[in-house]
Amino acid sequence: MGLKEEIARRRTFGIISHPDAGKTTLTEKLLLFGGAIHEAGAVKSNKIKKTATSDFMEIEKQRGISVATSVMGFEYRNYKVNILDTPGHQDFAEDTFRTLTAVDSVIIVIDAAKGVEAQTKKLMEVCRMRNTPVMVFINKMDRPSKDYFDLLDEIEEQLQIKVRPLSWPIGNGPDFKGVYNLYEKNLYLFTPGKQVLEEGLSFSDVNSPEIEEYIGKESADTLREEIDLVEGVYNEFNTEEYLNATLAPVFFGSALNNFGVRELLHCFLDIAPSPRPSKTDVRMVLPDEDKFSGFVFKIHANMDPNHRNRIAFLRVCSGKFERNKNYLHVRLGKQMKFSSPTAFMAQKKSIVDEAWPGDIIGIPDSGNFKIGDSLTEGEKLNFKGLPSFSPELFRYIENADPMKSKQLAKGVDQLMDEGVAQLFISQYNGRKIIGTVGALQFEVIQYRLEHEYNAKCRYEPINLYKACWMKSNDKAQLDDFKRRKAQYMAKDKYGRDVFLADSAYMLQMAQENFPGIEFHFTSEFD
Ligand code: G4P
């Protein structure tokens, strides 16, 4: 198979949801279809249990497991499917944001009884920012659910995307009888507690009287009325709109009961995008270019504290990646070759000789990579789309063991490379400030510094609201601002100026008083 064929058959995507909506269960069912796993429960352990948020052994164990489940690749119907796992725990939201930069599309799982929840909304913002096509799976249909039309309205409103149901449920909760698949024109009957794998019943017309034999006249009438309404309210499904990320097709099902999952997968394989062009600081890179290029979106470090081993996860953006071939590490300006890149098939890792656009490879690394690094065959370009986001929580970090300051500096540096948190250096007093998305990271950092770097830290409170990256064409105004707000100025790890606002009010005042400066909550805004 040539480059073009390899690209066309690849589907690299992420599944996102609010915790507990059923992401893990759905992932697992998809893997079962792909033959990547053989029993339910295999992916289950990939979750930080809600009860164990401060149990570090649990976190460490999870880190181990999550390497194996970070990328789950399998072959199905001649497609190469790559599912990228996204942590469900909201304290790791930034990991999820970054993972979403390496996917071509997304499946959103929504709990039918709960509707759109906070985390889903946040993640959808990232999809919207990147124009990522999304498909929606409304899960837990075996349980009482919100009114279906209300649910669809809620999705349109809250996720700010047009929807188009491609299946329609029959009954609700205890009366749930199945779905009519509008995409395949099939009826799928639901038997509670039974893992449904059978083919659907083909009914190209819902008005067919035979349908009544299966679901009864009353349900059939309701179904017909509702489908009439659906066809009246929603425009015909248009794949282009989906690919342009302006329309989300919606499926209903129950991941736990394996109901509606196969139809979702089949439609997904049919319409989801193969690897898409990638933005860089100099030009668009097309997947079918001859020359290889890719970027690192995730780093996993020190799985074994006795060996400083890290794995850099690289997404191939163009051309063919080959083992033992020299590539340019653009940031370091250095040629490097990799003797043991790994691919992730099912839950096994194995050394690969080649990889294609859309594939994710793991590169063993001794400290050369940072998140966002690009590899090419010589061209100096940097992939875009991996911004730093403003943290939500901030603390000063201090050395708690004066004999170990070197270890501490190294540990903090490496943990920041890994993207565990962000470090800012105050330009006012030179102190180091750690910013995170969730409180859990502070504990993770402290724990890992101690166990992996033999260093001790302590935190001191600092009251900050947001970190803002700035842009201005008015150098005089910017200089004036930095001088006046010297107390609140810091540098991020790339040496960029950051304004650390201590309240929403302070930021608002800054915006009003310095109209020539743009303040951004992410580091990439062009
Ligand atoms: P997450 O990864 O999005 O956090 O969700 P996960 O798949 O772990 O599912 C959360 C809970 O919802 C699990 O129950 C799971 O069994 C259940 N679930 C998933 N899909 C369905 C469905 O279609 N119908 C129903 N009724 N439940 C579903 P749990 O009790 O938290 O975990 P467990 O004890 O079953 O492992």
Side-chain angles (χ1 to χ4, degrees), residues 149 153 166 187 203 234 339-340 505:
F149 286 103
D153 286 351
L166 288 186
L187 180 72
F203 286 105
Y234 300 99
S339 60
S340 41
Y505 178 72

Side-chain angles (χ1 to χ4, degrees), residues 32 52 70 79 92 94 96 104 109 117 123 132 169 173 182 197 233 244 248 306 329 366 368 384 443 449 456 493 516:
L32 279 168
S70 286
Y79 285 97
F92 295 92
E94 201 159 349
T96 302
D104 297 303
V109 184
E117 296 173 87
L123 294 170
T132 309
L182 298 154
L197 286 167
V233 172
N244 291 334
N306 299 320
H329 185 310
S366 52
N368 284 312
K384 294 188 79 158
E443 297 173 48
L449 283 173
K456 280 202 171 72
K493 72 171 166 180

